[in-house]
Amino acid sequence: MASQFTVFFLILSLSTVLVIGEDHGFGRILDRKLLGLNEEKLSHFQFYWHDIVSGRNATSVPVVRPPQNTSTFGFVSMIDNPLTLGPKVSSKLVGRAQGFYASASQEEVSLLMVMNFAFIEGKYNSSTITVLGRNSVFNNMREMPVIGGSGLFRFSRGYAQARTHTFDPKTGDAIVEYNVYVLHY
Ligand SMILES: *[C@@H]1O[C@H](CO)[C@@H](O)[C@H](O)[C@H]1NC(C)=O
Ligand SMILES: *[C@@H]1O[C@H](CO)[C@@H](O)[C@H](O)[C@H]1NC(C)=O
Ligand SMILES: *[C@@H]1O[C@H](CO)[C@@H](O)[C@H](O)[C@H]1NC(C)=O
């Protein structure tokens, strides 16, 4: 009984230490240092993104076809694209880009990209970076915002730069170099 009370008061005092400011029961302001959120770091990642649309092992699959034949506007493809260290798909796998892209421009070929980079390599294993942005695929360099992340990338923000490495017009397969700059704790 006594030890239960000790534990109870320990938890109570711990939570009051973490809380700075008003406590509204369901919402409270915490001291960020006590969650280990001290210094923000800037990390850079470079990898290759493989949009494989052809063959039996396609990783990019159309789920919505455009309503009109005249334009690609409205097209949506779900992706589970490999992310590799080198430009070859057989090079080391560091993660996957999971999400979708949608043709969002009636004037040009411009995609809305919605994807999570789900890493499997080293300390980044199981951490994710979320990208949501505009990708005008025929531009030499495209930039998309990093809007958040999980695991090591909690509270993250930044940007991703994409450059097409190769595009095979016969198969439609594309290899894109990504450079991602992320601020995180
Ligand atoms: C598809 O993947 C399987 C298993 O990894 C592999 O054996 C096969 O060669 C692949 N096929 C193509 C067309 O890439
Ligand atoms: C779309 O393509 C189909 C078959 O190719 C054709 O019959 C139809 O008229 C086309 N529609 C438009 C709006 O071009
Ligand atoms: C990544 O983590 C998962 C469990 O979350 C584990 O099964 C897997 O082996 C790990 N992969 C690497 C490359 O460490």
Side-chain angles (χ1 to χ4, degrees):
M1 199 66 174
S3 66
Q4 271 178 5
F5 272 114
T6 316
V7 169
F8 176 74
F9 283 113
L10 204 69
I11 289 168
L12 198 72
S13 58
L14 203 66
S15 61
T16 50
V17 165
L18 286 168
V19 176
I20 55 166
E22 292 170 28
D23 189 337
H24 292 283
F26 72 98
R28 51 194 73 85
I29 295 168
L30 301 181
D31 182 352
R32 63 168 70 189
K33 291 200 177 64
L34 290 159
L35 285 181
L37 304 176
N38 295 313
E39 212 184 313
E40 230 177 357
K41 298 184 281 283
L42 174 64
S43 295
H44 169 229
F45 299 92
Q46 186 190 36
F47 46 75
Y48 291 83
W49 179 96
H50 299 265
D51 197 46
I52 307 165
V53 301
S54 67
R56 276 184 299 147
N57 297 338
T59 60
S60 182
V61 178
V63 289
V64 177
R65 300 285 184 182
Q68 288 179 359
N69 308 349
T70 48
S71 135
T72 62
F73 182 64
F75 173 88
V76 180
S77 193
M78 254 355 257
I79 61 168
D80 186 11
N81 288 349
L83 303 175
T84 60
L85 215 51
K88 287 204 173 105
V89 72
S90 56
S91 82
K92 190 178 175 60
L93 187 72
V94 295
R96 306 195 76 88
Q98 299 175 331
F100 66 86
Y101 56 75
S103 171
S105 172
Q106 291 182 297
E107 304 290 316
E108 51 179 311
V109 184
S110 183
L111 304 175
L112 165 69
M113 308 291 293
V114 181
M115 59 184 168
N116 292 311
F117 294 144
F119 296 111
I120 58 163
E121 178 57 20
K123 70 171 180 172
Y124 301 108
N125 188 15
S126 303
S127 289
T128 65
I129 288 176
T130 302
V131 169
L132 192 153
R134 181 171 189 265
N135 184 1
S136 295
V137 294
F138 292 122
N139 287 1
N140 185 34
M141 205 266 282
R142 293 87 71 184
E143 187 169 306
M144 291 160 261
V146 166
I147 60 161
S150 71
L152 286 180
F153 302 111
R154 286 174 185 167
F155 297 109
S156 76
R157 60 213 159 93
Y159 60 97
Q161 291 182 325
R163 283 183 194 84
T164 302
H165 181 265
T166 49
F167 174 68
D168 184 338
K170 263 193 233 135
T171 60
D173 293 352
I175 303 169
V176 179
E177 180 191 336
Y178 269 82
N179 280 280
V180 186
Y181 299 85
V182 194
L183 283 171
H184 61 105
Y185 288 97

